[in-house]
Amino acid sequence: MNELSWTVEREARRVVVVPVGAVTITTSGEFEGVLLAAAAEADVVLDLAGVTFVDSSGLSAFVAAYKAGVAHGHTVVLDPVPPFLARVLKVTGLGTLLLSPQKVI
């Protein structure tokens, strides 16, 4: 089952997006829109503790949010990151973009 839900928590200087489930080609479209809107508004933290799977379209959504953040003068970081995703970020080199500097693998 490819279900994904999320909450968006607005704090004083950042937006925390908390997805739960699988970020896949069938779930990433609307989710990416949420990330892009958040990245245009403030710094974004994606709390991925509840994410069970991420495919290439999910990674693409994270990168698109990062690029939107840069374009608007904001940061987009993934924190925390489940172990399976940490390995993917390391292998792809995306950890240098998407993890906070002190957590780069």
Side-chain angles (χ1 to χ4, degrees), residues 67-97:
K67 289 180 178 181
V70 169
H72 289 93
H74 300 131
T75 61
V76 175
V77 296
L78 312 179
D79 187 30
V81 176
F84 79 87
L85 185 55
R87 286 188 297 277
V88 171
L89 295 174
K90 181 176 183 178
V91 168
T92 61
L94 291 175
T96 58
L97 291 179

Side-chain angles (χ1 to χ4, degrees), residues 6-19 31 33-48 65 74-79:
W6 58 83
T7 59
V8 177
E9 303 165 4
R10 285 171 173 73
E11 299 178 354
R13 295 183 176 195
R14 67 182 186 170
V15 175
V16 179
V17 180
V18 184
F31 183 59
V34 169
L35 297 179
L36 295 176
E41 178 183 328
D43 292 341
V44 176
V45 174
L46 281 104
D47 178 339
L48 301 178
H74 300 131
T75 61
V76 175
V77 296
L78 312 179
D79 187 30

Side-chain angles (χ1 to χ4, degrees), residues 17-72:
V17 180
V18 184
V20 175
V23 187
T24 66
I25 193 163
T26 58
T27 62
S28 64
E30 183 181 357
F31 183 59
E32 182 175 331
V34 169
L35 297 179
L36 295 176
E41 178 183 328
D43 292 341
V44 176
V45 174
L46 281 104
D47 178 339
L48 301 178
V51 170
T52 57
F53 180 79
V54 177
D55 71 8
S56 60
S57 63
L59 290 175
S60 178
F62 299 156
V63 171
Y66 169 82
K67 289 180 178 181
V70 169
H72 289 93

